[in-house]
Amino acid sequence: MRGSLGEKIGEGAAAEVHAWAPGQVVKLFKSASSRRLGWHEAHMTDAVFAAGGPAPQVFGVVILEGRLGIVLQHFDGPTLLQLTRTGAMMRGQAGAILAALCRAVHKTPPPPGVLSLRGWTDAWLRSASGTLPKPIAPGVLALIERLQPADELCHGDLHPGNVIMTAEGPRLVDWSGMVRAPAAYDLGISHILLTELAPEVADDPERPRAVNAAAQSEYARLAGLSPAALTAAIESYLPIVRVLIVLGGAMPALRERLLQRVEAALRPEG
């Protein structure tokens, strides 16, 4: 794979993004990151691009000093998060863009090999065997069985930091959590990220909450649903989302709070 490691242009919890070649970047996973999950992301991103989804083209995979890297199409432009932080975009507008992009993902046919929500959750629970309070794993799997999730394509990590505003329109990066599930699951992830996690680190905690409210309102309009019906659907998936966020290691300081809410939601009434 011709190219060379250039300047760092972005960084997340699991990887750094560097310039690689004209029109290309390399997403270089950190040493502690799961190589298996990196390969999975490369395959899933390639599959959704081929299916016509708003994902970057994958040019190949490289190993640099023992670290896995995915060579990707460079999406040139600011993130939706950067635009809302600077005030260059209103919160309602950002929410509408997030909703339209979310809707476009859900209308993309799921490529072969995309795990069901049950399969994805089961894999995470098995990898974390013994690290959760005992009632949670069976409770979450039983909840998925009761909900019988639909087979729409879901991004699995939908938030403004993963939306790149290119000249051709908004595009999505970070497809490692892609699953087959209902729209309510994807919106549930956005809801937890924007109303519980992002406010902990944002300079203005109300900004991510306002973006989330606008996104849900616009998604309900686009899908022809009442806001109340959409809210109820999202609520049913929140225990699953919280468990997956805990297992993914995002914001360990919130682990106990998230697990307490899961246990309360799974507890039989009466």
Side-chain angles (χ1 to χ4, degrees):
M1 181 76 45
R2 292 194 174 184
S4 59
L5 198 63
E7 67 171 317
K8 184 167 72 174
I9 56 179
E11 183 173 2
E16 302 165 352
V17 178
H18 291 258
W20 179 253
Q24 299 178 4
V25 296
V26 61
K27 180 174 182 177
L28 190 60
F29 290 92
K30 296 178 180 179
S31 300
S33 298
S34 163
R35 184 172 288 192
R36 184 179 178 185
L37 197 59
W39 278 103
H40 173 77
E41 180 175 342
H43 176 65
M44 290 295 99
T45 305
D46 185 54
V48 79
F49 174 81
Q57 184 175 358
V58 177
F59 297 106
V61 173
V62 295
I63 304 294
L64 299 174
E65 297 182 354
R67 295 165 63 188
L68 181 72
I70 310 174
V71 180
L72 299 160
Q73 174 187 359
H74 180 208
F75 283 156
D76 191 17
T79 67
L80 204 55
L81 178 61
Q82 289 167 336
L83 292 174
T84 55
R85 272 181 176 168
T86 62
M89 181 178 288
M90 301 296 289
R91 299 168 185 186
Q93 185 184 359
I97 289 171
L98 200 62
L101 196 54
C102 191
R103 186 80 174 145
V105 172
H106 299 156
K107 287 185 172 182
T108 302
V114 180
L115 288 173
S116 67
L117 179 58
R118 168 63 194 251
W120 179 250
T121 306
D122 194 47
W124 273 102
L125 289 172
R126 279 189 279 108
S127 71
S129 177
T131 64
L132 295 175
K134 284 186 178 179
I136 286 184
V140 164
L141 292 177
L143 175 58
I144 293 174
E145 292 296 329
R146 287 200 304 275
L147 293 172
Q148 296 183 327
D151 273 353
E152 291 175 292
L153 180 67
C154 288
H155 177 267
D157 194 15
L158 202 65
H159 60 80
N162 279 341
V163 179
I164 312 294
M165 300 301 294
T166 76
E168 292 74 36
R171 297 291 186 270
L172 267 169
V173 296
D174 291 353
W175 289 83
S176 63
M178 184 169 72
V179 296
R180 290 183 285 111
Y185 167 74
D186 238 0
L187 293 165
I189 289 174
S190 296
H191 180 83
I192 298 297
L193 294 177
L194 293 175
T195 66
E196 296 186 25
L197 273 65
E200 296 287 328
V201 294
D203 58 316
D204 178 2
E206 289 308 311
R207 183 178 60 244
R209 295 188 180 109
V211 170
N212 181 65
Q216 289 189 20
S217 175
E218 177 64 4
Y219 194 96
R221 187 189 72 80
L222 292 172
L225 297 170
S226 72
L230 184 62
T231 297
I234 291 170
E235 284 284 337
S236 65
Y237 282 89
L238 295 186
I240 304 163
V241 171
R242 289 190 174 104
V243 166
L244 289 171
I245 286 174
V246 166
L247 295 179
M251 298 188 69
L254 298 184
R255 174 186 169 92
E256 291 308 314
R257 184 196 305 175
L258 291 167
L259 289 178
Q260 285 170 7
R261 290 180 178 176
V262 172
E263 289 182 302
L266 295 176
R267 195 174 296 129
E269 293 183 7

